[in-house]
Structure formats: C-alpha cells, structure tokens
Amino acid sequence: MPEQSNDYRVVVFGAGGVGKSSLVLRFIRGTFRESYIPTIEDTYRQVISCNKNICTLQITDTTGSHQFPAMQRLNISKGHAFIMVYSVTSRQSLEELKAIFDVIKEVKGDLEGIPQMLVGNKCDESEAREVDSQQGQEQARRWGCGFMETSAKTNYNVKELFQELLNMEKRRSMSLHLDSKKTRSQFRKEKLKGKCIVM
C-alpha cells in the first residue's frame, strides 16, 4: 500500500505520442500544444476536495518509452490510481498498454478497489481511427477498469475523465469541485494543516 498522505497520486501511462502530456496539461492548465515533445517524467499538482477537506491531486505523466522500468515500478508502487492512455489512431498503442497493465497487476497484486481508467485519446481524429470505441470498451472490461474516449485537442471528456477516476475511489470521497463557501485564505490554512482524512 502506498503511504497515506495528503496527496492523491494518479499515474498516467501510455506509448509515446498518444497524448498523455496533452491530456494532463489540458486538465491542469487548460492549454493544448500541437508539437510533440517527449516526456521523461513530469508531476503536476491540483488542489481538490477530499472527504470535504483539501488535498492535492498529484498527477505523474510518465515516459512513453520502456527505458526506465525501475522508475515505472516505483510510480506504480506509490500510485493510488492509474490512467492508461492509447491513441484511437494507433492499434499498436493499445497493444503496448498490455505490458503496462501486467506490471501494475504484478506490483499492486490485488487490483480490487484501485481506480483505473483505459482512455482512447484523439477521438477527434475520426478519419485516422484504427481502434473503435467498442474495442476499447472490451479491453477495459477484460481488465476490470473504467473506459472513456477523450480529445485533449478539443477538450472533450478531459475534466470528466479525472472526475470519473476520483468517483471510482471508494476509500475516500473526492471531487474536483472545492467547497465554494470557503474562502481562499481558509483553503490555504487547511492546506498547510494537511487535513485529508483517510478511512
């Protein structure tokens, strides 16, 4: 089990070029860049509501290559939830996730209660589609995880993806929506106190 803390760690996996960074940046910053820049590893943070208190959603955007197996295993061991991204324009990118899923299963053991989403990104590129929605759903069913198609470019289902992942967490109640009755200064104080109750 990862150590319980005020962070809720989500790890994003997938082949190079499927749009992992684009999804994360679209969610965190609301931006999209056309050019592809390979990632070694980046971590982004967003304040969210956790059991009606404040906690930090920590999103680790991993490398698309298999050069760093030790890093991959460490991310899995520390992760609370996983997003596995493929591009609907590349059947190969869906195939590559099978090895990653096997490592998650090996490191975590029992996947019961661990939120996981299989994500078909670039669904706006319908002309170039190689994987239809049903194939993605079938794979997700085999793995026992959630499924969603997204487009980082058009911002389709991006926020919904992260909210759905949080909804799958049964051990604590989490939401992207902060309690609007609280002021920013109260948020800051609570964040410093580190109040995230874990059941």
Side-chain angles (χ1 to χ4, degrees):
M1 274 297 291
E3 71 276 15
Q4 297 292 2
S5 71
N6 220 30
D7 281 351
Y8 188 76
R9 297 192 189 93
V10 173
V11 189
V12 185
F13 289 114
V18 297
K20 297 182 299 298
S21 301
S22 296
L23 277 173
V24 175
L25 287 169
R26 172 63 88 180
F27 172 65
I28 297 284
R29 296 187 186 147
T31 58
F32 179 80
R33 65 167 184 239
E34 290 284 349
S35 57
Y36 172 56
I37 302 160
T39 303
I40 298 290
E41 185 174 293
D42 288 320
T43 299
Y44 300 89
R45 287 174 179 79
Q46 171 106 339
V47 174
I48 59 167
S49 166
C50 174
N51 293 340
K52 299 206 163 66
N53 286 307
I54 303 304
C55 84
T56 306
L57 177 65
Q58 182 176 304
I59 304 167
T60 302
D61 175 19
T62 64
T63 175
S65 69
H66 306 291
Q67 288 171 289
F68 308 102
M71 210 148 114
Q72 189 183 62
R73 294 177 82 86
L74 182 66
N75 281 326
I76 293 168
S77 70
K78 287 184 165 191
H80 297 107
F82 303 97
I83 296 175
M84 294 171 284
V85 185
Y86 67 93
S87 165
V88 301
T89 65
S90 162
R91 188 176 303 282
Q92 177 64 31
S93 68
L94 179 57
E95 291 298 318
E96 283 187 38
L97 285 175
K98 290 176 182 169
I100 289 167
F101 179 76
D102 288 343
V103 179
I104 293 173
K105 215 160 66 171
E106 185 192 321
V107 173
K108 286 297 195 191
D110 183 13
L111 295 179
E112 185 71 36
I114 295 178
Q116 297 176 88
M117 288 290 286
L118 178 64
V119 179
N121 192 36
K122 303 191 183 182
C123 68
D124 56 291
E125 297 185 27
S126 48
E127 306 293 303
R129 189 184 271 272
E130 287 185 9
V131 184
D132 65 40
S133 179
Q134 199 179 343
Q135 289 168 311
Q137 277 171 330
E138 280 165 13
Q139 187 62 65
R141 200 164 39 245
R142 281 196 287 274
W143 287 345
C145 61
F147 174 76
M148 199 174 276
E149 286 198 340
T150 59
S151 166
K153 188 175 189 174
T154 65
N155 202 14
Y156 173 72
N157 266 351
V158 176
K159 196 169 183 180
E160 291 80 355
L161 160 65
F162 287 92
Q163 183 58 68
E164 183 57 32
L165 191 76
L166 295 183
N167 291 347
M168 293 166 87
E169 176 58 71
K170 301 299 176 219
R171 287 164 295 191
R172 33 189 161 168
S173 165
M174 294 193 296
S175 172
L176 298 177
H177 307 289
L178 297 167
D179 185 348
S180 55
K181 292 188 195 97
K182 293 182 180 176
T183 64
R184 280 179 183 275
S185 62
Q186 280 175 297
F187 275 147
R188 223 166 278 126
K189 279 180 207 152
E190 282 197 22
K191 202 174 171 197
L192 291 172
K193 281 185 208 159
K195 289 162 77 180
C196 179
I197 303 156
V198 177
M199 306 308 276

